[in-house]
């Protein structure tokens, strides 16, 4: 019966036929699942010191003498039942906590893996966004360059057309200024002619006349040698 069911406490008479309580206790203690069950010995006579020690060595935790007082016996047994039930409740709670902890660890592991995946995706997304940003910047640069070249081609085309159809120099130069500002997209332009080592504005658009009158660029003056107009005239090349 003990091998098939759990017990809170064992009540055992020391003096029994065929096998006394000490021998029975020794057999019980040989079973791994039974060795921790508390044993209360019931005895009808006062035992000596050696029998007490023998009983305690075999797992006895208490002696009750005959005649048995029911209230004392019930109280003692009930206390062990309470301890047994408390122990079982603790074991059940510990098992629940263990399972809950396992579930929590699994959830944390899953969350950690999900976070790593998200971090990897975020890293890839950031790299892709950076690549797209560079591609957009390059595209805008190319589009700007193409737009600038297109404007330049239009300016050259309109200037050539004006050159063919215009016979008066002042009108030609004025038309070219309007083409450069209107079609080329420049804020201002001036066509300067060199005469007697000086530059005077033959046609302009977008500049204030006072500014041009105060320009007074002398091509022989060392102070103006590094001026863009002076460099362009002396070298024959564009100067930006």
């Amino acid at each position: 019966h003990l091998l098939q069911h759990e017990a809170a406490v064992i009540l055992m008479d020391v003096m029994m036929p065929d096998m006394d309580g000490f021998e029975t206790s020794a057999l019980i203690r040989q079973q791994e699942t039974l060795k921790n069950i508390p044993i209360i010995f019931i005895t009808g006579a006062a035992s000596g010191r050696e029998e007490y020690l023998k009983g305690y060595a075999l797992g006895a935790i208490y002696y009750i003498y005959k005649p048995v007082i029911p209230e004392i016996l019930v109280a003692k047994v009930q206390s062990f039942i309470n301890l047994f039930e408390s122990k079982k409740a603790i074991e059940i709670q510990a098992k629940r906590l263990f399972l809950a902890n396992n579930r929590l660890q699994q959830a944390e592991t899953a969350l950690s893996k999900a976070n790593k995946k998200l971090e990897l995706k975020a890293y890839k997304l950031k790299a892709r966004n950076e690549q797209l940003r560079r591609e957009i910047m390059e595209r805008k640069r190319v589009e700007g360059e193409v737009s600038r070249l297109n404007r330049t081609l239009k300016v050259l085309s309109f200037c050539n057309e004006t050159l063919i159809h215009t016979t008066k120099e002042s009108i030609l130069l004025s038309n070219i200024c309007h083409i450069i500002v209107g079609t080329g997209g420049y804020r201002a332009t001036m066509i300067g002619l060199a005469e007697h080592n000086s530059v005077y504005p033959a046609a302009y658009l977008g500049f204030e006349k006072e500014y041009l009158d105060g320009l007074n660029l002398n091509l022989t003056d060392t102070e103006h040698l590094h001026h863009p107009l002076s460099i362009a005239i002396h070298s024959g090349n564009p100067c930006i």
Side-chain angles (χ1 to χ4, degrees), residues 1-239:
H1 183 80
L2 287 174
L3 294 175
Q4 298 175 356
H5 301 85
E6 290 184 306
V9 62
I10 298 174
L11 289 175
M12 188 181 305
D13 200 325
V14 174
M15 302 302 295
M16 295 187 298
D18 300 329
M19 184 182 296
D20 63 23
F22 298 131
E23 293 173 326
T24 304
S25 297
L27 290 176
I28 291 174
R29 289 295 180 253
Q30 291 177 7
Q31 301 296 324
E32 184 67 25
T33 58
L34 306 178
K35 66 179 183 179
N36 292 322
I37 299 176
I39 298 174
I40 297 177
F41 279 135
I42 300 175
T43 181
S47 300
R49 181 173 179 275
E50 292 183 0
E51 287 191 2
Y52 276 122
L53 294 177
K54 183 179 180 181
Y56 287 132
L58 292 171
I61 60 167
Y62 196 73
Y63 276 88
I64 293 180
Y65 297 99
K66 297 177 182 178
V68 175
I69 301 174
E71 292 79 5
I72 295 177
L73 178 61
V74 170
K76 184 60 67 175
V77 171
Q78 187 61 53
S79 65
F80 284 108
I81 291 176
N82 293 339
L83 287 173
F84 175 79
E85 290 177 346
S86 298
K87 180 181 177 183
K88 295 301 294 183
I90 292 173
E91 289 176 353
I92 292 173
Q93 185 64 22
K95 186 176 181 180
R96 290 176 179 172
L97 290 175
F98 176 78
L99 294 175
N101 185 57
N102 281 346
R103 289 193 294 269
L104 180 60
Q105 289 180 350
Q106 292 173 359
E108 289 178 348
T109 301
L111 181 61
S112 177
K113 290 181 179 179
N115 286 337
K116 288 181 179 179
K117 289 182 179 179
L118 287 176
E119 289 174 359
L120 180 60
K121 288 182 179 180
Y123 174 79
K124 291 181 178 179
L125 182 60
K126 182 179 179 181
R128 179 56 181 163
N129 287 340
E130 178 62 22
Q131 181 182 359
L132 289 175
R133 187 187 68 82
R134 291 195 297 266
E135 291 176 355
I136 291 172
M137 291 180 62
E138 178 62 17
R139 181 177 178 179
K140 288 182 177 179
R141 186 193 68 78
V142 172
E143 289 176 348
E145 183 66 17
V146 170
S147 178
R148 186 187 68 80
L149 291 175
N150 286 335
R151 290 198 307 271
T152 301
L153 290 175
K154 285 183 179 181
V155 167
L156 292 176
S157 177
F158 291 162
C159 286
N160 288 334
E161 185 177 349
T162 300
L163 184 62
I164 294 173
H165 295 93
T166 306
T167 58
K168 191 174 181 179
E169 183 182 77
S170 59
I171 296 176
L172 172 65
L173 298 180
S174 177
N175 288 342
I176 289 175
C177 286
H178 280 83
I179 291 171
I180 292 174
V181 173
T183 303
Y186 293 94
R187 296 181 60 184
T189 185
M190 181 196 78
I191 298 176
L193 298 179
E195 187 176 78
H196 306 299
N197 294 324
S198 295
V199 176
Y200 74 94
Y204 61 89
L205 184 65
F207 284 109
E208 297 291 338
K209 188 175 185 303
E210 291 77 8
Y211 170 77
L212 297 176
D213 291 340
L215 189 60
N216 191 24
L217 181 62
N218 191 321
L219 299 178
T220 61
D221 192 345
T222 56
E223 182 182 351
H224 298 124
L225 289 179
H226 299 292
H227 194 280
L229 284 174
S230 179
I231 294 174
I233 291 173
H234 283 97
S235 65
N237 297 317
C239 181

